[in-house]
């Protein structure tokens, strides 16, 4: 491909294969090489209309999580089984497409999106939660509430520099990002802080004796009787819990009755118990502590510093439950000047250069998003992969473990996968053949069935998706 076009950062128009990407993830956490003989990856790029290897990212991250589940099953006495992941199926699952009673919910506020600023730069505003929307409007001097329209926001932003608005919004605890090129992100202090960091890390955080996993018959799913506390709310963390539930874990989603959710909770809650616990109250913290004392995995996506302030940081959790696998999700990692900054997939896409590069590939001057929130979904599967790899270490070596994933580090991994020639020229393939129907607590749910196929212990969601607070705050009997 000597005549392949090049990006200004030197990236050529070619991408890694799904197997190459999976191999890198597998070796990153020192997983057994022989397991790679049992993975079947089908399909190829382009899977969806993008110049980035979003299909490879979806397939490899999901395959890592599924193959880790198969390894745990082998560790529990089962013989190795084959795991298959089709790229298009995985990409469709990562699109978050679903319907309730035949209607696809609109999960985006009308003000969410990109805007041109007075200096010619661009910013992306995330307004899907009312408090984020109203905070951004207040910063712009506009009336709060849904009556304010995009034209008013555009006019107000014409008086701002993009980077200034980004900084002021961050100071106010809002979720806004300015568009950067890859080169600009690479020179940014946060880009420099993350340079060379892997997409998932595991660290021993305490002493604990090994807790061997109980063995079951060959018809049991890999994570039978593994208890997972899921303290996440948007997409990446819930995808982690949903995957673990598909592989047999008892996953308990814990929501605060005071905090809003987005409609995707109906799709990402498949297979989970769903409870209420207000961690701002003593009763809520006591309930969580009681659940933690018999949990295996604790997954949290709270803003940086929030869980330690509530008494449930990684070290505190390890003291309460020696041997816990603690999984943390952040937007921009745990080091650097943006370590405490909030963010969502679309904002990280904008800040780290992807929207600029996708627009450049499409021949437009405006930011262009990728066709799915791949940073969220890949991060979710990387969290599930890391959690299971750490669980295997705990069962054999002992210790308490901390798994870390961030959207920005996932972005760096996606960028390392390369580019897809002709990726933007294809249409989005039909999704209908990948959907399944189920009755849920939200209505009749149609969503994509899980793309990871196991030869001996099929993945499935044994519990229907239910609204927050539907279950009691106690673990079910085995």
């Amino acid at each position: 491909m000597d005549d392949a076009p090049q990006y200004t950062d030197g990236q050529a128009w070619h991408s890694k294969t799904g197997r190459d990407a999976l191999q890198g993830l597998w070796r990153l956490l020192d997983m057994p090489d022989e397991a790679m003989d049992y993975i079947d990856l089908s399909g190829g790029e382009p899977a969806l209309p993008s110049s980035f290897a979003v299909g490879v990212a979806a397939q490899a991250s999901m395959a890592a999580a599924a193959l880790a589940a198969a390894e745990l099953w082998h560790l529990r006495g089962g013989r190795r089984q084959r795991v298959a992941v089709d790229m298009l199926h995985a990409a469709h699952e990562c699109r978050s497409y679903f319907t309730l009673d035949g209607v696809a919910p609109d999960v985006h506020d009308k003000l969410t999106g990109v805007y041109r600023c007075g200096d010619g730069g661009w910013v992306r505003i995330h307004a899907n939660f009312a408090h984020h929307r109203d905070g951004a409007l207040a910063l712009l001097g506009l009336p709060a509430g849904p009556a304010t329209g995009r034209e008013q926001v555009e006019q107000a932003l014409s008086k701002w520099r993009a980077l200034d608005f980004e900084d002021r919004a961050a100071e106010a605890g809002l979720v806004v990002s300015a568009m950067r090129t890859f080169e600009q992100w690479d020179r940014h202090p946060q880009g420099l802080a993350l340079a060379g960091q892997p997409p998932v890390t595991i660290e021993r955080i305490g002493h604990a004796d090994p807790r061997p996993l109980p063995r079951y018959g060959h018809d049991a799913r890999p994570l039978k009787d593994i208890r997972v506390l899921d303290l996440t709310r948007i997409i990446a963390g819930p995808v982690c819990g949903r995957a673990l539930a598909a592989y047999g874990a008892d996953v308990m989603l814990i929501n605060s009755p005071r905090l809003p959710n987005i409609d995707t909770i109906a799709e990402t809650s498949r297979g989970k118990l769903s409870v209420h616990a207000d961690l701002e109250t003593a009763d809520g913290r006591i309930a969580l502590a009681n659940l933690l004392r018999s949990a295996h995995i604790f997954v949290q996506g709270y803003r940086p510093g929030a869980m330690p302030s509530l008494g449930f940081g990684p070290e505190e959790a390890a003291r309460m439950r020696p041997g816990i696998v603690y999984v943390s999700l952040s937007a921009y990692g745990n080091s650097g000047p943006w370590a405490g900054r909030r963010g969502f997939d679309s904002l990280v896409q904008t800040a780290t250069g992807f929207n600029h590069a996708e627009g450049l590939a499409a021949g437009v001057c405006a930011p262009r998003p990728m066709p799915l929130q791949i940073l969220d979904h890949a991060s979710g599967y990387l969290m599930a992969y890391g959690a299971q790899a750490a669980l295997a270490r705990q069962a054999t070596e002992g210790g308490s473990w901390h798994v870390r994933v961030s959207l920005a580090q996932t972005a760096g991994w996606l960028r390392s996968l390369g580019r897809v020639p002709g990726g933007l020229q294809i249409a989005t393939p039909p999704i209908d053949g990948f959907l399944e129907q189920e009755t849920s607590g939200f209505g009749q749910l149609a969503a994509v069935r899980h793309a990871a196929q196991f030869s001996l212990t099929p993945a499935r969601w044994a519990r229907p998706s239910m609204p927050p607070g539907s279950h009691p705050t106690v673990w079910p009997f085995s």
Side-chain angles (χ1 to χ4, degrees), residues 26 38 64-76 78-83 222 247 388 454 457:
W26 202 246
Y38 292 83
L67 196 59
E71 270 304 297
L72 282 173
W73 192 74
H74 178 58
L75 186 64
R76 301 178 81 166
R79 62 186 175 90
R80 279 203 167 92
Q81 60 179 311
R82 300 207 69 80
V83 176
Y247 308 148
Q388 293 174 102
F454 294 71
T457 60

Side-chain angles (χ1 to χ4, degrees), residues 176-446:
V176 170
S177 63
M179 186 182 75
R180 290 172 177 80
T181 67
F182 281 150
E183 291 180 330
Q184 289 169 334
W185 175 249
D186 291 344
R187 295 194 304 267
H188 188 275
Q190 190 61 31
L192 292 171
L194 297 181
Q197 290 195 19
V200 55
T201 61
I202 299 179
E203 175 189 8
R204 185 192 288 262
I205 57 170
H207 173 77
D209 292 333
R211 190 182 301 119
L213 300 172
R215 298 191 173 204
Y216 294 102
H218 286 180
D219 59 342
R221 285 183 294 162
L223 301 187
K224 178 177 171 60
D225 291 338
I226 299 300
R227 292 175 170 177
V228 180
L229 290 168
D230 182 355
L231 285 84
T232 65
R233 293 177 52 239
I234 309 300
I235 297 177
V239 164
C240 168
R242 186 186 66 188
L244 297 176
Y247 308 148
D250 289 317
V251 180
M252 183 178 290
L253 176 64
I254 298 181
N255 266 282
S256 167
R258 300 181 299 104
L259 296 176
N261 283 288
I262 58 175
D263 288 341
T264 54
I265 191 174
E267 192 265 339
T268 58
S269 292
R270 285 180 286 172
K272 302 179 186 180
L273 302 162
S274 191
V275 309
H276 271 151
D278 186 353
L279 302 187
E280 298 293 338
T281 68
D283 286 346
R285 293 190 294 274
I286 291 169
L288 179 58
N290 288 336
L291 293 166
L292 173 59
R293 290 188 179 97
S294 59
H296 299 85
I297 299 172
F298 185 105
V299 183
Q300 67 90 16
Y302 276 58
R303 67 185 183 276
M307 292 308 293
S309 72
L310 294 168
F312 293 96
E315 288 76 18
E316 293 88 352
R319 283 195 291 270
M320 277 188 271
R321 172 60 160 162
I324 193 69
V325 172
Y326 191 102
V327 185
S328 293
L329 170 71
S330 64
Y332 292 102
N334 66 312
S335 63
W338 282 17
R341 186 167 291 198
R342 302 174 182 179
F344 299 107
D345 178 301
S346 57
L347 298 165
V348 177
Q349 283 191 37
T350 302
T352 60
F354 283 89
N355 288 175
H356 172 267
E358 195 80 297
L360 189 66
V364 299
C365 296
R368 179 181 174 118
M370 288 183 280
L372 72 169
Q373 290 180 295
I374 188 59
L375 305 184
D376 266 335
H377 286 269
S379 293
Y381 290 114
L382 291 173
M383 293 165 71
Y385 168 47
Q388 293 174 102
L391 189 63
R393 293 187 190 186
Q394 204 295 319
T396 56
E397 303 173 26
S400 301
W401 299 88
H402 190 188
V403 178
R404 286 191 178 101
V405 173
S406 78
L407 300 181
Q409 286 165 263
T410 299
W413 174 69
L414 173 61
R415 188 172 159 188
S416 77
L417 300 181
R419 307 299 286 273
V420 178
L424 286 169
Q425 277 66 62
I426 70 163
T428 301
I431 198 172
D432 295 349
F434 299 99
L435 298 176
E436 62 182 6
Q437 299 267 350
E438 70 172 59
T439 300
S440 80
F442 299 89
Q444 191 66 23
L445 174 67

Side-chain angles (χ1 to χ4, degrees), residues 18-95:
R19 179 168 287 275
D20 289 339
L22 173 60
Q23 184 78 74
L25 293 173
W26 202 246
R27 289 177 175 170
L28 174 65
L29 300 187
D30 297 321
M31 298 294 280
D33 286 338
E34 54 267 31
M36 286 294 297
D37 294 334
Y38 292 83
I39 188 74
D40 298 310
L41 301 177
S42 57
E45 294 284 17
L48 296 176
S50 176
S51 72
F52 289 96
V54 295
V56 169
Q59 182 184 53
S61 59
M62 187 183 298
L67 196 59
E71 270 304 297
L72 282 173
W73 192 74
H74 178 58
L75 186 64
R76 301 178 81 166
R79 62 186 175 90
R80 279 203 167 92
Q81 60 179 311
R82 300 207 69 80
V83 176
V85 181
D86 177 72
M87 185 179 293
L88 179 58
H89 191 165
H92 274 316
E93 187 171 348
C94 292
R95 289 177 56 203

Side-chain angles (χ1 to χ4, degrees), residues 86-110:
D86 177 72
M87 185 179 293
L88 179 58
H89 191 165
H92 274 316
E93 187 171 348
C94 292
R95 289 177 56 203
S96 294
Y97 176 84
F98 69 101
T99 63
L100 288 172
D101 298 325
V103 178
D106 183 3
V107 299
H108 298 294
D109 185 90
K110 66 180 181 180

